[in-house]
Amino acid sequence: TRSSRRESNGARADDNAEVIRKRLDVYRELTEPLVSYYSGKGLLRTVDGMAPVEEVTAAIRHALGA
């Protein structure tokens, strides 16, 4: 995986499997619940962050009404 390649290439000291698992645990506990919360209120907007930068920027601006 990308994270294991970064770990073996001498990347950041905090890019290791244990830290990444902890980050994902924190995401699932604190951030993920917000998706259903804001979706239920009709306030959730999604953007494909894997698209080219220009498309992501345009999609964010559109979602924000800018």
Side-chain angles (χ1 to χ4, degrees):
T1 66
R2 177 176 173 244
S3 60
S4 61
R5 285 192 311 269
R6 287 183 63 189
E7 184 178 350
S8 66
N9 290 334
R12 293 174 28 179
D14 64 346
D15 270 349
N16 60 61
E18 180 181 343
V19 171
I20 292 168
R21 272 192 292 278
K22 176 63 176 168
R23 287 180 191 156
L24 288 171
D25 288 344
V26 169
Y27 169 81
R28 288 182 188 113
E29 180 183 346
L30 301 176
T31 305
E32 193 171 49
L34 296 174
V35 172
S36 61
Y37 175 82
Y38 284 106
S39 180
K41 294 188 172 293
L43 298 173
L44 182 67
R45 305 294 181 264
T46 59
V47 171
D48 176 7
M50 297 302 291
V53 173
E54 298 80 14
E55 290 179 29
V56 173
T57 301
I60 291 170
R61 288 187 174 149
H62 178 77
L64 296 174

